Amino acid sequence: MKRYFLLPLIFFVLFSGFAFARQTPILRVDTGGHVALIRDIVVHPSGRYFITGSDDKTIRVWRVERKGQGFRVREERKILGQIGDGLEGKTYAIALSPDARFLAVGGYMERDYIRLYDFSTGKLLRVLKGHENIVNDLSFSEDGRYLISGGYDKRVIIWDMKRFKKAAEYKHDNFVYAVSSFYRQGAFYVVSGADDHKIKLFNFEQNRVIREYDAGEMVQNNSISVSKRYGVIAVAVPNKRKILFFDLQLNLRRKIKTDTQPIGTALSPSEKFLAVGAGTSPRICTVYDLKTLKKVSEFKKHDNLTLALAFLDDNTVLSGGENDEEIWLWKAKSGDGILKAGGRGKTVWAVGISGSKIGWGNVWECSVKKHKNPLQKYFDLQDFRVKNAGNLSFERISTRWGQYSLSHAAGGDYGYSDAVLVIKKHGDVAARVVRGSHDGYRHRTYGFTENGLIVSGGSNGQLWAYNTSGQKVARFIGHLGEVWSIATQGRWLVSGGSDQRIILWDLKRLDEYRGRTLSIYPTLCVFVSSD
């Protein structure tokens, strides 16, 4: 098992070559906030704390102080558990028991265990062994008697929290992304949504699925909320841009079309309001009144995926965004922002290299082509002083090499616009590289090295090298979030992304390829704070 050692805020960390032995501690800059997608937010029953889980493999506990009509938020502590190279240790779901005793954590864990922590101390109490793949969502029953989990093994498991044993389970035909539960007339029910397009209602006493509904597409993470007070099961269906409202017997009551791609839901303490996050553009979070099923407000401060939402109280929403991993507090009834909390970094949208000079930019310009966001600053590896890039010339990445060229196309399991990398020779398609959930979903940024190998960055920190036949040559292991930009010059590759780091890689390692995919680790990781 690996554990974090978090450093004070500094500008750079030098990693020794490529020797990441499994038991070697991993050193990482603590920026004061998350540096990868915030997956989940839960609020302490007292309202004095909230907890966030992230792809950066940290769980952070934040203290909320109320001053008159305002708030102050500061990080109080971290709960750090298993981590590892690549995806290992990413937190996909957290849940706090109603009495605040247990914090349940799921994600890309060793042997896919659910980890139970003592919330007050951060001590690991036990693991729940049952899932055979990644755990995507967790939810406690309202009395804390049961914990419900759903995962990539297509299963929903109900855990008895008195005995810490599996009490029941049922299956979907594909990955399970969302779970919730409720009691009605003395019976216990579980609602789940999955990549098989199905929403299922399970009766625990009868130990069977009593009803299911075909949503027409996958139901994604955190996207089911249940209000007993108003008799509503709300399900966000992102790609269809709709929110489905059912009664507690899973009969469809109403279908609301949305301008946004709704993903992630949260229920207010009184159950009157439902907050819904946003996937692709427009990045607008929305609040609905569950009594009237009408829109109450919109929040427009996030500029990327907003998956994690919670209510601090009936009029205060918490939402976690992806790009700069900021956490916003905002008013449920008006959509007005209250304050922004988080770390001191920014997404790296552009990188360039010129000799010992490394350039980067923290600005996204939607009008520009892929790989062409502006370079604003640079530092020289000779002295690490940050300077304005001005009109200095930097090498970026080229999508052409001799008779070969690169472009992207829609496809894959999820239909993303850049899921397919198209490799052409003399203008004819020579190969295609289709990405899925295991290797980054999309080709966000790509190009050729001077030796004709292809490098492509995607989601979840995935950065790969391919040959012109589309075969994998190497995986670059080090980023934690979306890889947005790459540049090469000679033996060096530079990359930047939503984890707010600039990473330098040694391409000479690619010479070692002998038919078996290589693992390449950073030569240098650089973090530059926003100030």
Side-chain angles (χ1 to χ4, degrees), residues 426-446:
H426 295 304
D428 297 323
V429 176
R432 295 175 184 265
V433 179
V434 182
R435 279 192 164 160
S437 59
H438 62 287
D439 59 358
Y441 290 103
R442 324 176 74 141
H443 296 276
R444 290 295 199 184
T445 176
Y446 49 81

Side-chain angles (χ1 to χ4, degrees), residues 164-177:
F164 301 104
K165 298 288 186 182
K166 188 191 304 181
E169 72 170 82
Y170 64 95
K171 295 196 73 172
H172 279 262
D173 294 326
N174 212 327
F175 307 146
V176 179
Y177 284 111

Side-chain angles (χ1 to χ4, degrees), residues 191 197-199 213-219 223-226 231-238 240-247 250-258 262 265 274 276 288 290 293:
V191 189
H197 303 181
K198 297 292 181 16
I199 301 163
Y213 180 90
D214 191 332
E217 65 134 336
M218 68 183 294
V219 177
S223 292
I224 298 177
S225 290
V226 180
V232 172
I233 299 171
V235 183
V237 187
K240 297 289 185 181
R241 294 184 181 256
K242 63 185 178 183
I243 303 171
L244 305 176
F245 294 97
F246 301 88
D247 64 19
L250 206 63
N251 296 307
L252 184 65
R253 287 177 52 189
R254 189 169 175 185
K255 184 187 303 182
I256 294 180
K257 282 285 190 179
T258 61
T265 64
L274 177 78
V276 182
Y288 294 89
L290 285 184
L293 300 184

Side-chain angles (χ1 to χ4, degrees), residues 346-358:
K346 284 184 170 294
T347 291
V348 179
W349 292 109
V351 290
I353 183 169
S354 177
S356 61
K357 296 182 177 66
I358 306 295

Side-chain angles (χ1 to χ4, degrees), residues 55-121:
D55 276 0
D56 67 8
K57 310 176 187 181
T58 69
I59 297 164
R60 294 176 183 259
V61 180
W62 306 81
R63 176 184 282 274
V64 181
E65 297 174 354
R66 298 172 187 261
K67 301 220 168 184
Q69 298 299 312
F71 294 87
R72 181 177 172 228
V73 174
R74 61 180 175 83
E75 183 189 302
E76 182 164 278
R77 58 191 169 97
K78 282 172 278 290
I79 297 175
L80 304 173
Q82 172 201 357
I83 68 166
D85 302 331
L87 298 175
E88 186 182 345
K90 286 192 173 189
T91 299
Y92 287 3
I94 56 176
L96 188 65
S97 61
D99 61 1
R101 180 186 176 192
F102 297 116
L103 180 71
V105 179
Y108 204 105
M109 306 295 175
E110 181 182 12
R111 298 179 189 175
D112 308 296
Y113 298 156
I114 297 168
R115 302 167 74 81
L116 287 180
Y117 292 90
D118 182 315
F119 173 71
S120 62
T121 66

Side-chain angles (χ1 to χ4, degrees), residues 25-36:
I26 293 178
L27 305 179
R28 181 155 309 140
V29 173
D30 184 0
T31 70
H34 288 296
V35 294

